[in-house]
């Protein structure tokens, strides 16, 4: 492979090593700190990180004429939202938004590197991605409440305000002690469901002995729980499903570049 200019990876700063499970997915694909982070490292592509606080993301999109790819229902209306990860590849002068689109782009643009979407599996991995988000939908408020505590002050205020607006629920009601047991049981049920998918394949990873984007999605969620939830909560999650999530994190940590 000819010498490449480092890909620029746009991520969200926090008081922990990596905050967003979505950006973690991409990092592990090219050596960025997120599932996109997993993807970057897995493929061995050079990169550098640019940090954007939450209130800066919309203006970043506008500055570069990027079109939001995510819709959220806000007050009953589908509304575009500006999200990370985003990469800019100076080798092609292209911006790519959305972690799955980034994975597709990296495989197509750099076919001589390990593939995060193995041949003819993109549709199946996308379906897995969608099904996983459906499975964890019931812990959105608990996850939002835990995650907000790890953001820098500038992002934390913005994050809380926009989540309250989006869900129409006062912030103090996102994760009350009364709701905690129900939310925790929802997370455990989701893990049981995902464990069943893995058990069907029989290997350490969803497709056998080599990780792919689907594994980075799950690992990104696990790392986010590790960083954002209480220590005893992460210890409990690690013990579920015969220790599958502990083993998955241990097996994929090699693709996380957590240097600053």
């Amino acid at each position: 492979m000819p010498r490449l200019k480092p890909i620029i990876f746009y991520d969200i700063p926090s008081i922990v090593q990596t905050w967003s499970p979505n950006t973690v997915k991409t990092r592990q694909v090219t050596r960025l700190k997120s599932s996109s982070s997993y993807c970057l490292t897995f493929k061995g592509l050079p990169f550098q990180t640019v940090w954007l606080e939450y209130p800066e993301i919309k203006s970043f999109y506008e500055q570069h004429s990027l079109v939001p790819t995510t819709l959220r229902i806000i007050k009953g209306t589908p509304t575009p939202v500006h999200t990370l990860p985003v990469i800019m590849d100076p080798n092609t002068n292209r911006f790519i938004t959305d972690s799955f689109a980034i994975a597709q782009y990296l495989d197509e643009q750099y076919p001589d590197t390990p593939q995060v979407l193995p041949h003819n599996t993109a549709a199946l991995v996308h379906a897995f991605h969608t099904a996983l988000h459906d499975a964890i939908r019931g812990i959105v408020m608990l996850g939002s409440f835990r995650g907000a505590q790890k953001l820098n002050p500038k992002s934390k205020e913005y994050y809380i305000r926009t989540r309250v607006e989006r869900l129409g629920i006062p912030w103090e009601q996102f994760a009350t002690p009364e709701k905690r047991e129900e939310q925790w049981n929802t997370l455990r049920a989701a893990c049981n469901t995902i464990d069943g998918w893995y058990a069907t394949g029989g290997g350490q990873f969803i497709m056998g002995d080599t990780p792919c984007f689907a594994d980075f999605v799950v690992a990104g969620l696990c790392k986010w729980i590790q960083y954002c939830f209480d220590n005893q909560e992460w210890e409990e999650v690690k013990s579920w499903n015969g220790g599958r999530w502990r083993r998955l994190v241990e097996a994929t940590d090699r693709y996380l570049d957590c240097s600053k």
Side-chain angles (χ1 to χ4, degrees):
M1 183 186 298
R3 185 172 180 83
L4 298 173
K5 299 176 183 177
I7 292 169
I8 300 174
F9 177 77
Y10 295 91
D11 198 357
I12 301 166
S14 72
I15 62 175
V16 293
Q17 293 183 51
T18 184
W19 185 84
S20 169
N22 293 316
T23 57
V24 172
K25 287 178 285 187
T26 298
R27 279 183 182 280
Q28 287 172 298
V29 174
T30 61
R31 285 189 176 275
L32 302 181
K33 293 170 190 166
S34 65
S35 66
S36 297
S37 165
Y38 283 112
C39 291
L40 290 165
T41 304
F42 181 74
K43 297 182 78 67
L45 297 170
F47 77 94
Q48 66 183 62
T49 302
V50 173
W51 302 102
L52 295 176
E53 297 283 358
Y54 261 101
E56 300 170 338
I57 298 174
K58 181 178 180 180
S59 60
F60 167 78
Y61 266 70
E62 293 171 344
Q63 177 185 353
H64 296 288
S65 301
L66 303 179
V67 178
T69 58
T70 302
L71 291 177
R72 295 281 188 268
I73 304 300
I74 300 177
K75 297 180 179 179
T77 302
T79 304
V81 295
H82 304 80
T83 61
L84 296 182
V86 172
I87 66 169
M88 198 289 283
D89 188 348
N91 303 289
T92 60
N93 292 317
R94 290 185 61 186
F95 282 90
I96 310 294
T97 64
D98 180 75
S99 58
F100 188 79
I102 291 171
Q104 290 180 299
Y105 168 80
L106 294 174
D107 275 354
E108 292 167 1
Q109 187 64 37
Y110 302 103
D112 294 331
T113 62
Q115 300 289 285
V116 292
L117 297 169
H119 183 62
N120 288 335
T121 64
L124 293 176
V125 173
H126 189 269
F128 178 97
H129 195 195
T130 301
L132 182 140
H133 280 279
D134 287 343
I136 64 174
R137 194 179 303 277
I139 65 162
V140 166
M141 289 192 291
L142 174 62
S144 297
F145 191 84
R146 289 284 195 272
Q149 314 313 316
K150 305 299 183 180
L151 289 170
N152 293 329
K154 186 176 181 180
S155 285
K156 182 177 180 180
E157 184 280 329
Y158 176 92
Y159 185 83
I160 291 174
R161 173 168 48 82
T162 55
R163 268 53 189 179
V164 168
E165 179 183 70
R166 182 181 302 172
L167 297 177
I169 298 172
W171 182 249
E172 59 273 14
Q173 294 182 18
F174 268 54
T176 63
E178 295 76 19
K179 291 180 179 177
R180 196 272 185 186
E181 182 176 359
E182 178 183 353
Q183 293 168 328
W184 197 246
N185 288 338
T186 297
L187 175 60
R188 181 155 194 167
C191 287
N192 290 340
T193 297
I194 300 164
D195 176 67
W197 300 339
Y198 272 87
T200 300
Q204 181 177 20
F205 303 108
I206 200 69
M207 292 188 186
D209 297 326
T210 303
C212 69
F213 182 78
D215 299 294
F216 296 146
V217 173
V218 180
L221 174 63
C222 290
K223 295 300 289 186
W224 181 69
I225 292 173
Q226 179 183 356
Y227 292 145
C228 294
F229 282 47
D230 295 338
N231 288 338
Q232 66 269 25
E233 292 175 326
W234 170 235
E235 290 299 319
E236 184 176 344
V237 171
K238 284 198 301 183
S239 72
W240 291 348
N241 306 115
R244 183 183 297 281
W245 316 122
R246 173 186 55 79
R247 294 194 301 273
L248 180 64
V249 165
E250 291 173 351
T252 54
D253 268 356
R254 60 184 292 195
Y255 303 117
L256 272 179
D257 176 359
C258 292
S259 66
K260 298 298 182 184

